[in-house]
Amino acid sequence: MPRPILATVSIPALRHNLALARRNAPGRSVWAVVKADGYGHGLANALRGFAAADGLALVEFDAAARLRREGWRGPLLMLEGAFDAEDVAQAVRERLALVVHEPRQIEWLEALRAPAAIDVYLKFNSGMNRLGFVQRAFRDACERLSRIGAVRRVALMTHFANADLPGGAVEALERFEAAAAGLPGARSLANSAATLLLPSAHGDAIRPGIMLYGATPCDDREARSFGLRAAMTLRSRLIAVQTLGAGDAVGYGSTFRAERPMRIGVVACGYADGYPRHAPSGTPVAVDGMLTATVGRVAMDMLMVDLGPVPHAGPGAAVELWGETVPIDAVARASGTIGYELMCALAPRVPVRVLDDAPAP
Ligand SMILES: *Cc1c(COP(=O)(O)O)cnc(C)c1O
């Protein structure tokens, strides 16, 4: 028998979240972001869930090739652009749109002897100071790109550092608009947070990622409050039950001690499955559908839970680590991280079951 841990990915939830992103930005194009293997959900699953997107955006060129092999004929946008001249050649062959954030990338395009084939998204650095051009350099790069024969269209983009905070992207948006004033081309600015919170940044094409998978982009707003549905559920089962006396400890380092007699359950899920080792005692978890909390240190293959709220649960009882009952964001917050990291870290040893209510197209 396989170990009882199982992740499920709900294609209807992915579709629902994409439709919600679209309703938030009516009339705009939607680039569904599928980098990092569809935020850990599996590239093929993301492709099924986002078949209605206007385009897919990612950073890995091998994954772009896979999407083409799997039949995606729509636009693909490479969010970090080309890493070398060979990537630019692949972009021509496979019709990939390229972000340009660096002068070297312009040189690779200038060296191409190809008919007008490549769509470029020129990146403005609006304050993140990670990728992109500022002010004059941005306008100069735009001018230079517009003279390259192999470039078909130039769109303008930026990525916000603080769109999840109230008013956090307003100044960055102003900087972008000042730099882009008068330049032709479509605009693409909004990640999930700006899609949900900053309509003035919707531009021509939004680029939602995390919201499509049903997690929140904001520290202080639950995904559910936006109407999002969790796409990934991580489940396992109790494989043992222990009865502790007052003062007994649980797990490595004996970091948790029972104050009074209590029953605890041992779950077949650990950090080698992608569950965060930093999750402290008290991290939410559900047993038999009832909310309870972890106790003690997370180990490689196991973690322990308080069975106080579920006195009848025994070995074999169903456990949800995160998903529909326990928001992934709640586990992340308790562990000092974000839902993004947990979903991307789902380990390869965890089997994934795909739920779909419609036949594949
Ligand atoms: C990852 C990424 C996004 C999506 O961000 P979310 O916060 O997941 O919505 C959008 N744009 C760029 C450039 C990105 O790298």
Side-chain angles (χ1 to χ4, degrees), residues 14 56 77 110 149 163 243 263 281 293:
L14 296 175
L56 303 176
L77 172 59
E110 283 171 337
T243 303
R263 287 173 81 239
S281 291

Side-chain angles (χ1 to χ4, degrees), residues 5-9 40-42 45 232-233 346-355:
I5 192 163
L6 179 67
T8 55
V9 171
H41 292 65
N45 298 331
M232 179 193 289
T233 299
L346 183 75
R349 81 170 180 184
V350 177
V352 178
R353 180 193 292 162
V354 182
L355 298 179

Side-chain angles (χ1 to χ4, degrees), residues 123-134 157-158 175:
K123 187 157 193 177
F124 177 70
N125 171 4
S126 56
M128 175 97 84
N129 290 316
R130 221 169 50 168
L131 300 183
F133 298 90
V134 288
M157 71 168 311
T158 193
R175 277 191 213 152

Side-chain angles (χ1 to χ4, degrees), residues 33 35 39 79 123 157 159 191-193 207-210 340:
V33 180
K35 62 195 180 192
Y39 287 47
L79 291 169
K123 187 157 193 177
M157 71 168 311
H159 189 51
N191 55 6
S192 295
R207 302 188 311 271
I210 193 72
Y340 297 71

Side-chain angles (χ1 to χ4, degrees), residues 4-56:
I5 192 163
L6 179 67
T8 55
V9 171
S10 163
I11 306 298
L14 296 175
R15 290 195 190 110
H16 165 89
N17 296 332
L18 175 65
L20 193 138
R22 219 184 254 296
R23 278 202 303 282
N24 267 271
R28 322 302 165 103
S29 301
V30 182
W31 289 105
V33 180
V34 301
K35 62 195 180 192
D37 204 29
Y39 287 47
H41 292 65
L43 197 59
N45 298 331
L47 180 55
R48 260 163 91 176
F50 306 144
D54 298 292
L56 303 176

